[in-house]
Amino acid sequence: MDLKITAAVDIGGAAVSLQGLPLEILLAHLEKGGRVEDLPGYGQKGYTGVKALTSDAGDLLVETTPTNIKDGEPGLTHIRTALSRGKHVVTAAKGPLVLRYQELKGLAQKTKAKLMISAATAAALPTLDVGLSCLAGTEVLSAEGILNGTTNYILTRMHEEGTPYADALAEAQRMGVAEPDPSLDVEGRDTGNKILLIANEVFQAGLSLPDVSVKGITKVTPAEIEQAKREGKVIKLIGKVEKKDGKVVASVAPVALPADHPLAGIRGTEKAISYLTDTMDRVTVSGGKSNPVGAAAALLKDIIRIYKG
Amino acid sequence: MDLKITAAVDIGGAAVSLQGLPLEILLAHLEKGGRVEDLPGYGQKGYTGVKALTSDAGDLLVETTPTNIKDGEPGLTHIRTALSRGKHVVTAAKGPLVLRYQELKGLAQKTKAKLMISAATAAALPTLDVGLSCLAGTEVLSAEGILNGTTNYILTRMHEEGTPYADALAEAQRMGVAEPDPSLDVEGRDTGNKILLIANEVFQAGLSLPDVSVKGITKVTPAEIEQAKREGKVIKLIGKVEKKDGKVVASVAPVALPADHPLAGIRGTEKAISYLTDTMDRVTVSGGKSNPVGAAAALLKDIIRIYKG
């Protein structure tokens, strides 16, 4: 595969070249703290993502704007613009997907563009690949995932060392495992966003965010952890999708798992997802680096799969 | 997808119909103990696989003859015949692949047919899907697998209950987990066959069976198990592929894994494989039903992926 990057866009402008940007020069420039709009010979101040996407430059958008769950912008406009012109989209931004999944999927179908979202659903952990491709031909009955490294780290500390929640959170923040504002993670909303996308992709559930019941880990007490331990169990924050009375139901909550559950041994910042199927029984996948390199690897994987199937 | 089965071939003959066999009638006939060559209206005594594959009937072979590691027959001739005529092949038979991997892959490339071998490499456990598709774009540095349920069952009993090898094997045979002649499993050769195929598919290693060093579990003693336990380790039969000095090396041997190794917790007849990559770190997949239904599900998955990508 010979890929050309025709535009690299940031908030202040872009570096643009229909012949393809010189990648080594661009990366060296960025590593020195330079901005794309200042790249000599290629930089253009005020050049926007929408401008790049309405030009003839490129046939694929890699969307990595910060996740915005309020209105999905600017990613939502970027993705809409790309898909409506038949350009493929590979995205790490959860906001547009969480808010407008059906619309964007429909748009992609209409223009025969591909919308690939591995990087938005636990990145290097191949949640969707396994659910869609490795299990093709089975009926997937349920999915249970540990999809957030921060909360799993906190719960692991609470379980293994008896650390109270507030102390485990403070430690996670000191180590850079938890954000200064950890609410998206600890309130279960990050897990909720991911399990919503998994429900819609793997189960074609057609769910929206309000359909997902979400409970985080902020109320988990040392007493509950101790009680679980006495019963040979371990409390994990589980995002779950299951079929109930013909409907697909998605939820997030702390669950006491028995020791032989395939997710019981997932420790620290590790993530995992376990699918139950009719003909292949249970298939569980774990791991995948939880950092920007892992997310970039997931974006690259989706790009490769668009062009090489 | 609308699939037609144009020929169902067994050792004594076949049921054949260019318009497609009536699947429900065929299955009901087989369930009552009938043979394909006696199916009213469709059965033909003496009709062979080669005859079906040299006719115009069908564009895909599902090969499920018993594994024959001596000369790969009759699967080898079936697969050669299909691929040389541009027919796709989905196979559960390891013999032809283990003996003639390069030849068959080359043949498939030449005629632009697809050769899909999920069912021959741990069946419902998606070893190749994860190694090839979920990790696309990464450099895979190593693969370690528990690829044989029988030996993992025996080692689990030895570890958890202190059962000596001979007793654990006898128990596995009583339970139908081990064959009356268990040598293919306990001598590590089944794991060797699978890890050879994984090395050739995922690492494009170009290896042959004699290149794989194979040591089974027949010599593992309770004393070794106890010693491993004292060190907090657990002995597992590991099939491994790794890059060493620019070469790809494949081996099978009992290995004492530390308790936090992702394969240490794989118990009983369960199987798993763990890939180490440059950009996604470690990705481990476990589970997948180890029975004829699981194998059939793996065959169906490969068929779907041939036609739907």
Side-chain angles (χ1 to χ4, degrees):
Chain A
M1 268 175 72
D2 186 21
L3 296 170
K4 276 192 290 192
I5 297 182
T6 51
V9 187
D10 204 341
I11 198 164
V16 184
S17 167
L18 287 187
Q19 283 70 48
L21 291 166
L23 203 53
E24 282 182 32
I25 295 172
L26 173 61
L27 289 174
H29 174 78
L30 294 174
E31 266 166 31
K32 281 185 293 185
R35 303 188 57 87
V36 285
E37 64 265 29
D38 299 325
L39 185 70
Y42 302 96
Q44 298 191 35
K45 278 199 208 316
Y47 192 106
T48 65
V50 169
K51 187 166 175 190
L53 292 165
T54 49
S55 79
D56 286 334
D59 51 10
L60 183 143
L61 163 66
V62 180
E63 175 63 40
T64 59
T65 52
T67 287
N68 166 357
I69 304 289
K70 290 215 175 89
D71 63 9
E73 296 298 353
L76 180 56
T77 295
H78 292 161
I79 296 175
R80 268 194 193 127
T81 307
L83 291 178
S84 64
R85 293 179 159 252
K87 295 179 197 282
H88 305 304
V89 173
V90 169
T91 178
K94 290 182 205 70
L97 301 169
V98 164
L99 296 170
R100 292 281 183 267
Y101 180 86
Q102 308 302 335
E103 176 202 328
L104 297 176
K105 268 285 164 176
L107 196 51
Q109 246 159 5
K110 213 173 94 186
T111 64
K112 297 199 164 51
K114 286 183 184 160
L115 171 59
M116 301 283 276
I117 68 170
S118 290
T121 53
L125 176 72
T127 54
L128 301 181
D129 295 344
V130 171
L132 288 168
S133 182
C134 301
L135 306 180
T138 72
E139 186 187 359
V140 181
L141 305 171
S142 71
E144 293 170 284
I146 294 176
L147 301 170
N148 180 275
T150 304
T151 46
N152 200 49
Y153 178 86
I154 293 170
L155 289 174
T156 302
R157 299 290 291 173
M158 291 177 74
H159 182 87
E160 295 185 0
E161 277 136 69
T163 318
Y165 168 75
D167 297 353
L169 170 60
E171 189 200 307
Q173 287 174 315
R174 272 197 307 277
M175 293 183 57
V177 168
E179 305 273 343
D181 175 2
S183 57
L184 188 65
D185 294 324
V186 297
E187 290 171 6
R189 287 183 284 126
D190 176 67
T191 301
N193 292 338
K194 290 172 185 162
I195 205 71
L196 169 68
L197 297 178
I198 291 166
N200 284 343
E201 288 269 311
V202 178
F203 295 77
Q204 317 207 318
L207 298 182
S208 304
L209 203 46
D211 299 323
V212 185
S213 81
V214 175
K215 190 178 163 194
I217 64 164
T218 55
K219 304 270 169 62
V220 176
T221 65
E224 286 169 313
I225 298 267
E226 275 312 306
Q227 175 63 25
K229 279 172 91 160
R230 274 194 299 274
E231 295 169 4
K233 294 178 175 172
V234 54
I235 294 179
K236 296 288 185 188
L237 184 65
I238 300 294
K240 185 165 187 175
V241 188
E242 58 189 324
K243 291 183 178 164
K244 260 186 189 168
D245 310 323
K247 280 177 64 181
V248 177
V249 179
S251 61
V252 178
V255 177
L257 302 178
D260 62 354
H261 189 284
L263 300 182
I266 304 300
R267 298 171 61 245
T269 58
E270 202 181 357
K271 294 185 289 231
I273 191 161
S274 187
Y275 289 102
L276 186 65
T277 74
D278 57 347
T279 50
M280 291 192 185
D281 202 17
R282 190 176 276 285
V283 174
T284 305
V285 61
S286 61
K289 202 172 252 177
S290 293
N291 66 4
V293 173
L299 291 164
L300 176 61
K301 173 185 69 179
D302 278 356
I303 294 171
I304 292 172
R305 294 187 62 182
I306 283 178
Y307 292 111
K308 306 201 105 181
Chain B
M1 267 174 71
D2 186 20
L3 295 171
K4 276 192 290 192
I5 297 182
T6 52
V9 187
D10 204 339
I11 197 165
V16 185
S17 166
L18 287 186
Q19 283 71 49
L21 291 166
L23 204 52
E24 281 182 33
I25 295 172
L26 172 62
L27 289 174
H29 175 75
L30 295 174
E31 267 167 30
K32 280 185 294 184
R35 303 189 56 88
V36 286
E37 65 264 30
D38 298 324
L39 186 69
Y42 302 95
Q44 298 190 34
K45 279 200 206 318
Y47 191 106
T48 64
V50 170
K51 185 165 177 190
L53 293 164
T54 49
S55 79
D56 286 335
D59 49 12
L60 182 143
L61 163 67
V62 180
E63 175 62 40
T64 61
T65 53
T67 287
N68 166 358
I69 304 289
K70 291 218 174 90
D71 63 8
E73 295 300 353
L76 180 55
T77 296
H78 292 161
I79 296 175
R80 268 194 193 127
T81 307
L83 291 178
S84 63
R85 295 180 157 252
K87 295 179 198 281
H88 304 305
V89 173
V90 170
T91 178
K94 290 184 204 70
L97 301 169
V98 163
L99 296 171
R100 294 280 182 267
Y101 180 85
Q102 308 301 337
E103 175 201 330
L104 297 175
K105 268 284 164 177
L107 195 53
Q109 248 161 4
K110 213 173 93 184
T111 64
K112 296 199 164 54
K114 285 183 184 160
L115 171 60
M116 301 282 277
I117 68 171
S118 289
T121 53
L125 175 73
T127 53
L128 301 181
D129 295 346
V130 171
L132 288 169
S133 181
C134 301
L135 306 179
T138 72
E139 185 188 0
V140 181
L141 305 171
S142 71
E144 294 170 282
I146 292 175
L147 301 170
N148 179 276
T150 305
T151 46
N152 200 48
Y153 178 86
I154 292 170
L155 289 174
T156 302
R157 299 291 291 176
M158 291 177 72
H159 182 88
E160 295 184 359
E161 277 137 68
T163 318
Y165 167 75
D167 297 353
L169 169 60
E171 189 200 307
Q173 287 174 315
R174 271 198 307 277
M175 292 182 59
V177 168
E179 306 273 344
D181 175 1
S183 56
L184 189 66
D185 293 325
V186 297
E187 290 171 5
R189 288 183 283 127
D190 176 68
T191 302
N193 293 338
K194 290 171 184 162
I195 205 70
L196 170 68
L197 297 177
I198 291 166
N200 283 342
E201 287 270 311
V202 178
F203 295 78
Q204 316 204 321
L207 297 182
S208 303
L209 202 47
D211 299 324
V212 185
S213 80
V214 176
K215 191 179 162 193
I217 65 164
T218 55
K219 305 271 169 59
V220 176
T221 65
E224 287 169 313
I225 299 266
E226 274 311 307
Q227 175 64 23
K229 279 173 91 160
R230 274 194 299 274
E231 295 168 4
K233 294 179 176 170
V234 53
I235 294 180
K236 296 289 186 188
L237 184 66
I238 299 295
K240 185 166 186 175
V241 188
E242 58 189 325
K243 290 182 179 165
K244 259 186 188 167
D245 309 323
K247 280 177 63 180
V248 178
V249 179
S251 61
V252 178
V255 177
L257 301 177
D260 62 354
H261 188 285
L263 300 182
I266 304 300
R267 297 170 62 243
T269 57
E270 203 181 358
K271 294 185 289 233
I273 191 161
S274 186
Y275 289 101
L276 187 65
T277 73
D278 56 348
T279 50
M280 291 192 185
D281 202 16
R282 190 176 277 284
V283 174
T284 305
V285 62
S286 62
K289 202 171 252 178
S290 294
N291 67 3
V293 172
L299 291 164
L300 177 61
K301 173 186 68 180
D302 277 357
I303 294 171
I304 293 171
R305 294 186 64 183
I306 283 177
Y307 293 112
K308 304 200 106 179

